[in-house]
Amino acid sequence: MRRMADPGISGNIRRGTVATVASAVLVSLLHAVAGFFLLNALLTESEGPWDRSVTQTARLMAGLGLAVELLAAAITAVCVNTGMLRRWWYAPVAAVVLTAVIRMVFAPRP
């Protein structure tokens, strides 16, 4: 005698998979936005002794990247605690936050 598959179990698995993929895409997009700001902060260089805005620009870009990454960290924490994502998703958060803070501290001086 063959058992019929329970359609409720299959639907729950699909919903869980869709939620996991959606969470991963959302967090990845936030990492990309933060990475864009951080890349701009890292590539900002002084053009000469007359360029006084370079420090402010580098700190602003690093600060924007840090703000976006903190939002990503909050969403990652929610997703990890609900079981949608694994703990290794904290690694990119830590790397970007650490890089942004270092760039804010060691901003270029004109």
Side-chain angles (χ1 to χ4, degrees):
M1 183 170 153
R2 292 180 67 183
R3 290 179 134 180
M4 298 288 287
D6 187 11
I9 294 174
S10 177
N12 288 339
I13 291 172
R14 275 192 219 123
R15 267 187 247 125
T17 303
V18 169
T20 298
V21 169
S23 302
V25 167
L26 176 63
V27 171
S28 296
L29 284 174
L30 288 172
H31 288 319
V33 171
F36 170 76
F37 287 128
L38 190 56
L39 183 64
N40 282 324
L42 292 171
L43 294 178
T44 302
E45 294 181 10
S46 178
E47 294 181 8
W50 61 88
D51 190 9
R52 303 230 180 252
S53 65
V54 68
T55 302
Q56 294 171 351
T57 302
R59 285 186 178 154
L60 173 68
M61 288 295 161
L64 289 172
L66 183 63
V68 171
E69 197 60 34
L70 290 177
L71 176 64
I75 292 172
T76 301
V78 169
C79 293
V80 167
N81 287 334
T82 58
M84 288 188 284
L85 296 176
R86 304 259 182 186
R87 286 187 207 165
W88 68 264
W89 281 87
Y90 288 124
V93 173
V96 172
V97 167
L98 183 64
T99 306
V101 169
I102 288 172
R103 184 58 176 172
M104 288 174 72
V105 171
F106 297 108
R109 302 277 180 205

